[in-house]
Amino acid sequence: MSNQNKLYRLLRLIALLKQEPPKSINYIAEFLECSSRTVYRYLELLESVGFIIKVNRFKKYSIQDTQLLSNSHLNKEEFDFLKKLLQTSGRFNKISKSILHKLSLNTDKQLINNDIYDANHSITINQINEAIENNKQIVIKEYETINSQNNSYTLIEPIKLTENYRLLCAFEIGNQKNTFFNLKKIGNIIITEQEQKYKSLHECSTPDAFGVVKKSESFEVNLQLNLKAKSLLVQEYPLTKPLLKNIDGNNFLFSTTVYSLKPLKQFYNNLKNDIKILENTSHEFD
């Protein structure tokens, strides 16, 4: 198992043990899809980095609620290390243990959140990691968009997951392009027996807010969205969330640079009455 998968299991275990009621070893093993022996090893590791593991008289486990409050924020060195660790392999060391000790469930800025605890999301991530480890192509079924549910099959070569487990960077074989998929929109995944054969074309540059990687041209976008449009935008494109500024509670300003106008045009065309195009927006948009 890759180091990314091991760390992901530990994050899920922390999330699980912070939820009431306490859990039995068998329940934890089934939840993590591992052996009871592995669960005990994970519990020992968590204790070794400072977590207080409680066991009640029914031999059910939980993490003490009062901990991780004063030192719950990551410093820059730890954050950068965690980002690298989640994308590569390596051994646990002093920094990684410190990070595990500081992770908390209290904010969506941290990695242990409802996405990690969600069972379907977890299955998708595990399948993707398995395909990456084994150098296999995968088929994405029923990739859901804001307009409709696409039941077609998309054949891809998975490259890597983003550090927050929200997006998958992959090479789409049909159109010969690198792109990003929102994991929450993926219906099902099928791991094929076909080896990846386009690795020389793989590239995962930092995408814009719509998952498009940098191209030769870029476009300035300045929009005003009402609450409905804002909610739908964040639902469809999670990376847009930090770019939205609240104007008066019911309207939001969205300003950014994008590398393609296609996804934003599609979004706008379905919500023209809810979106206002502001000045300094690329003329090709309207």
Side-chain angles (χ1 to χ4, degrees), residues 14 24 30 44 52-53 81 109 123 151 161 163 175 192 215 219 239-240 265:
I14 295 169
S24 68
E30 183 177 352
E44 290 176 1
I52 300 175
I53 307 297
F81 178 82
K109 293 181 181 179
I123 292 172
N151 292 314
L161 295 164
E163 67 271 12
N175 60 24
T192 73
K215 300 180 180 180
F219 308 91
L239 294 179
T240 62
K265 280 183 177 180

Side-chain angles (χ1 to χ4, degrees), residues 30-199:
E30 183 177 352
F31 179 79
L32 297 179
E33 297 180 342
C34 66
S35 66
S36 298
R37 186 175 180 180
T38 298
V39 172
Y40 283 116
R41 288 203 303 268
Y42 286 162
L43 291 173
E44 290 176 1
L45 175 59
L46 292 181
E47 285 187 315
S48 73
V49 299
F51 285 88
I52 300 175
I53 307 297
K54 298 175 64 178
V55 187
N56 65 19
R57 61 192 181 93
F58 301 107
K59 295 185 178 180
K60 294 187 176 183
Y61 294 75
S62 63
I63 287 178
Q64 184 168 311
D65 293 334
T66 56
Q67 68 183 119
L68 304 180
L69 296 179
S70 60
N71 293 315
S72 61
H73 297 290
L74 304 178
N75 61 39
K76 185 179 185 302
E77 181 186 21
E78 291 171 336
F79 181 84
D80 290 342
F81 178 82
L82 179 57
K83 182 176 180 179
K84 182 178 180 181
L85 181 64
L86 290 172
Q87 297 173 341
T88 60
S89 60
R91 295 181 178 276
F92 283 103
N93 58 29
K94 185 176 181 180
I95 295 178
S96 63
K97 290 181 179 180
S98 175
I99 291 171
L100 281 174
H101 178 68
K102 292 183 178 181
L103 287 172
S104 170
L105 289 171
N106 298 327
T107 170
D108 61 2
K109 293 181 181 179
Q110 295 162 315
L111 291 175
I112 305 177
N113 52 34
N114 291 333
D115 287 346
I116 287 180
Y117 191 71
D118 181 81
N120 291 331
H121 194 69
S122 169
I123 292 172
T124 298
I125 290 173
N126 286 336
Q127 288 178 312
I128 291 171
N129 277 328
E130 180 182 344
I132 292 174
E133 287 179 32
N134 296 318
N135 196 38
K136 298 294 185 181
Q137 295 179 351
I138 65 176
V139 173
I140 292 180
K141 294 178 58 181
E142 301 174 359
Y143 188 73
E144 185 180 352
T145 67
I146 195 170
N147 301 318
S148 62
Q149 183 166 308
N150 183 357
N151 292 314
S152 63
Y153 291 68
T154 304
L155 183 63
I156 66 169
E157 292 185 353
I159 302 173
K160 68 178 181 180
L161 295 164
T162 56
E163 67 271 12
N164 56 11
Y165 292 103
R166 287 185 175 180
L167 300 176
L168 165 65
C169 176
F171 181 77
E172 193 170 344
I173 296 173
N175 60 24
Q176 295 286 289
K177 292 182 180 180
N178 293 290
T179 188
F180 285 80
F181 293 89
N182 183 343
L183 267 63
K184 298 291 282 186
K185 302 296 182 182
I186 295 176
N188 291 291
I189 282 180
I190 300 173
I191 302 175
T192 73
E193 295 299 321
Q194 181 66 48
E195 298 284 333
Q196 294 190 14
K197 56 183 179 181
Y198 297 100
K199 283 199 167 186

Side-chain angles (χ1 to χ4, degrees), residues 207-238:
D208 64 17
F210 296 88
V212 179
V213 296
K214 189 172 183 178
K215 300 180 180 180
S216 58
E217 56 183 351
S218 60
F219 308 91
E220 295 299 319
V221 174
N222 295 281
L223 306 175
Q224 181 176 314
L225 294 76
N226 64 16
L227 184 59
K228 172 186 174 182
K230 175 258 184 183
S231 299
L232 291 173
L233 181 67
V234 172
Q235 176 185 336
E236 180 73 5
Y237 302 104

